[in-house]
Amino acid sequence: MKILVGQPKQENSLNQLKEELDTLPNVDILLFPEGYLQDKDLLEEISNLAVRTETIIITGYKDNQNKDRGLIIDNNGEKVLDRAKTPIHKNNLLEPIVVQTSKGTIGYILCMEILKGVEGFAGDCFIDFIAHPIGTGMFSENQFNDWIDYAKKTAIKHNCYIIGTSHADGSFRNCGISIPIAYCINKNGEALFISKSDTSTRLIDLEINEVIKIGK
């Protein structure tokens, strides 16, 4: 399974997503950040892209109330996951958090849901990997380290890979600090890569545990 992990800048179109797919064809899955789709009207276009390129697209979009929603589109254009972000005060993650796709079983946590990831997946369901779209970069070194630690614990608890990525720009609530983040942790809690303030695209081959860095 080949997964393309991008760290685009925020935009009102799909130009960077299209460029990634054109530059690196024949990938199985593309992972982009939370809220990459700024306009709900882009959903039909991104579904068509998934079909044309035969690629599963995992990201997030803004709804009509400017609220973040999680999104997984299978390579046949079907939305297999489309849900709201779990409110911070709720203990249980909103469903669905695990879906079946043409390329296997994928778990999904959206940005701050990583804080609920260890206990969030009930039962012994086999998961190929957990996707973790993140909105903007981290607002401190401590947050960066904490989220990586949560990711490692989640991977070990559920015996699967976990892969996350944020936008290359933007800060949480315009706090003025942004540390772009991307990572892939294996089922033993070991890092295939951890990216801090390096917004290069990565191509991950889960079959051979290989990561190729594609510079910008």
Side-chain angles (χ1 to χ4, degrees):
M1 187 186 300
K2 293 183 178 179
I3 303 173
L4 182 62
V5 180
Q7 298 179 78
K9 292 183 178 180
Q10 299 177 74
E11 63 176 344
N12 294 320
S13 64
L14 300 177
N15 290 338
Q16 292 169 90
L17 186 147
K18 291 176 182 176
E19 182 179 348
E20 296 280 25
L21 290 175
D22 287 341
T23 303
L24 291 166
N26 303 318
V27 298
D28 298 301
I29 297 170
L30 179 142
L31 175 63
F32 257 36
E34 172 194 50
Y36 172 69
L37 277 73
Q38 295 289 314
D39 190 338
K40 188 178 179 180
D41 291 340
L42 293 171
L43 287 173
E44 182 176 355
E45 184 177 356
I46 203 170
S47 292
N48 291 337
L49 276 170
V51 173
R52 180 175 65 80
T53 61
E54 298 182 345
T55 304
I56 296 171
I57 297 175
I58 305 175
T59 183
Y61 72 95
K62 301 285 188 180
D63 65 15
N64 292 335
Q65 286 75 45
N66 201 37
K67 300 291 187 180
D68 283 301
R69 293 186 67 85
L71 181 70
I72 298 179
I73 298 178
D74 213 337
N75 58 11
N76 61 3
E78 178 186 353
K79 287 191 292 183
V80 293
L81 184 144
D82 182 354
R83 69 163 173 86
K85 183 194 288 187
T86 306
I88 193 67
H89 62 272
K90 287 185 67 68
N91 292 326
N92 298 324
L93 292 171
L94 295 181
E95 297 285 351
I97 54 176
V98 179
V99 294
Q100 298 294 325
T101 73
S102 59
K103 297 298 181 180
T105 304
I106 299 175
Y108 187 101
I109 48 179
L110 190 60
C111 202
M112 292 182 69
E113 291 181 348
I114 186 66
L115 306 179
K116 308 174 190 293
V118 175
E119 302 299 333
F121 295 83
D124 298 320
C125 174
F126 175 82
I127 304 171
D128 288 291
F129 76 95
I130 296 171
H132 179 209
I134 304 165
T136 56
M138 304 288 95
F139 55 74
S140 70
E141 293 284 344
N142 285 340
Q143 185 197 13
F144 186 99
N145 293 330
D146 284 346
W147 282 35
I148 291 296
D149 187 53
Y150 274 109
K152 290 179 177 179
K153 291 177 180 177
T154 299
I156 293 170
K157 173 68 180 292
H158 304 296
N159 194 36
C160 68
Y161 291 86
I162 179 169
I163 306 169
T165 189
S166 77
H167 285 99
D169 62 342
S171 60
F172 178 67
R173 296 181 178 174
N174 298 315
C175 69
I177 300 172
S178 177
I179 306 172
I181 180 174
Y183 68 85
C184 177
I185 309 295
N186 71 16
K187 61 184 66 178
N188 297 316
E190 300 164 344
L192 269 65
F193 82 90
I194 298 174
S195 168
K196 179 167 65 175
S197 298
D198 176 354
T199 58
S200 302
T201 297
R202 265 81 175 183
L203 179 62
I204 305 171
D205 190 330
L206 294 187
E207 300 298 326
I208 58 175
N209 287 322
E210 180 181 68
V211 179
I212 299 173
K213 179 178 174 181
I214 302 164
K216 291 188 177 180

